[in-house]
Amino acid sequence: MNWLTKAIKFGEKIKKVLRKRPSKEDIANSDWTSCCKGPILKKDLENNLWVCNLCGKHHRISCRQRFDIIFGKNSYQILESPIPTEDPLNWVDTKSYKERLKIAREKTNQNCAVMIAKGKINGIEVTAGAINFDFIGGSVGALANMTRTTLAINELKNNNLPYIVCFTDPTAGGITASFAMLGDIHFSEPGANIIFAGRRVIESTVKEELPSDFQTAEFVEKHGFVDRVVQRKDIQDEVGKLLSILLRKNSDIHLENLDETSETNIQTREAS
Ligand SMILES: [Zn+2]
């Protein structure tokens, strides 16, 4: 056997190995996924709210999985949102937008990237929206465009209702440029990437090498974009406490008493 025959046979072996690599679909339908130490059972990950108990990575989850965590399973109602005109531009790139929508809908069982639900946290009625990255990368489509969401959030502010944002991995682009940055309070899950423009674009603009943790939740917390980085298991509790304080409901802190004390102090100061 000469060197050429050997090389061809080696190439065939490599091809066989590559052919056996699982597809995205195989991985999605498997009981296993992967994390820091290799394969991990999805069931084990699910039992820990889809957070790896070795490295703490907060894996991406669907809208329904997120509602299960913040409201409790079967303790919320999905609010149907109107379906906008599907593809007014008849957009086609490598695929048509209609085809992309069809694939995303089959994959996620959602009509668009956003889902809205209402339920209770700490006994307080809450309406929550979540975005599914598996739906065309959480694309801000016609239903959830930047202008409409910004106007909707202004309505909350006009009615003195608190708006709390929790960044999850990844929060980027139009979402960062609109409703994600308009919260009264901003939480983030650990390790989430919070981005407007990508690292390469910024580095080439400012002509500087950026730190390795640039655009992580922990980095933006240090620089004031995030109020607190919160573990997934603690988000329900943190949101519940905040709403109690902001709405003066079901709180262990007796704000009325605090108000009376403050008024007494003011009156005392005015009298003196
Ligand atoms: Zn891990």
Side-chain angles (χ1 to χ4, degrees):
M1 189 183 293
N2 63 28
W3 67 271
L4 184 59
T5 318
K6 277 185 187 171
I8 290 169
K9 286 205 167 179
F10 183 68
E12 289 299 321
K13 274 185 189 172
I14 297 278
K15 272 188 194 169
K16 268 188 190 170
V17 170
L18 289 176
R19 267 190 228 114
K20 279 184 188 169
R21 285 176 67 185
S23 65
K24 278 187 184 174
E25 204 170 56
D26 291 337
I27 294 167
N29 295 329
S30 159
D31 291 335
W32 296 83
T33 186
S34 64
C35 196
C36 50
K37 301 285 181 194
I40 180 170
L41 265 175
K42 285 181 184 171
K43 197 71 201 161
D44 290 346
L45 207 52
E46 185 181 3
N47 290 339
N48 200 33
L49 305 182
W50 300 92
V51 176
C52 174
N53 60 16
L54 294 173
C55 68
K57 177 177 173 176
H58 282 50
H59 286 252
R60 288 173 190 166
I61 54 176
S62 71
C63 299
R64 284 188 177 83
Q65 286 167 330
R66 197 160 287 283
F67 295 144
D68 285 350
I69 293 169
I70 63 161
F71 292 127
K73 274 192 178 175
N74 305 316
S75 302
Y76 57 89
Q77 182 192 348
I78 299 286
L79 302 179
E80 293 302 330
S81 43
I83 299 173
T85 312
E86 299 226 323
D87 183 17
L89 299 176
N90 280 319
W91 186 263
V92 181
D93 46 65
T94 54
K95 274 184 202 147
S96 73
Y97 188 61
K98 285 187 185 72
E99 178 67 10
R100 288 189 191 281
L101 281 175
K102 186 170 173 280
I103 294 168
R105 283 173 179 157
E106 282 169 5
K107 186 177 175 187
T108 61
N109 200 23
Q110 292 182 209
N111 275 326
C112 68
V114 179
M115 279 187 92
I116 311 286
K118 70 173 186 180
K120 286 189 175 179
I121 299 176
N122 194 19
I124 299 170
E125 281 195 6
V126 173
T127 302
I131 300 175
N132 192 342
F133 187 77
D134 278 345
F135 195 103
I136 320 181
S139 170
V140 179
L143 177 69
N145 68 35
M146 295 195 286
T147 316
R148 284 180 181 161
T149 50
T150 302
L151 289 171
I153 287 153
N154 282 343
E155 282 301 300
L156 291 176
K157 292 182 192 288
N158 291 340
N159 286 284
N160 291 325
L161 289 170
Y163 171 49
I164 298 171
V165 172
C166 182
F167 298 121
T168 59
D169 184 63
T171 301
I175 291 174
T176 314
S178 60
F179 59 92
M181 286 294 173
L182 297 174
D184 299 308
I185 305 286
H186 290 124
F187 289 138
S188 177
E189 289 192 339
N193 273 302
I194 302 165
I195 299 164
F196 175 59
R199 167 184 284 271
R200 268 187 304 165
V201 173
I202 299 173
E203 281 183 335
S204 65
T205 306
V206 299
K207 313 284 184 217
E208 277 180 32
E209 194 177 326
L210 298 166
S212 59
D213 63 345
F214 183 65
Q215 297 178 318
T216 61
E218 292 73 12
F219 182 91
V220 293
E221 183 191 33
K222 266 188 244 164
H223 292 80
F225 276 102
V226 165
D227 295 298
R228 190 182 288 179
V229 177
V230 181
Q231 301 278 328
R232 187 171 287 164
K233 67 181 172 53
D234 298 326
I235 288 174
Q236 184 197 51
D237 188 48
E238 291 277 332
V239 170
K241 276 184 198 158
L242 257 179
L243 291 177
S244 292
I245 294 167
L246 294 171
L247 295 167
R248 304 180 176 216
K249 285 182 179 174
N250 307 343
S251 176
D252 292 336
I253 303 166
H254 297 292
L255 292 163
E256 293 79 9
N257 296 344
L258 284 178
D259 283 352
E260 280 170 18
T261 312
S262 311
E263 277 173 25
T264 309
N265 287 340
I266 290 164
Q267 282 164 5
T268 310
R269 280 203 301 275
E270 282 174 350
S272 60

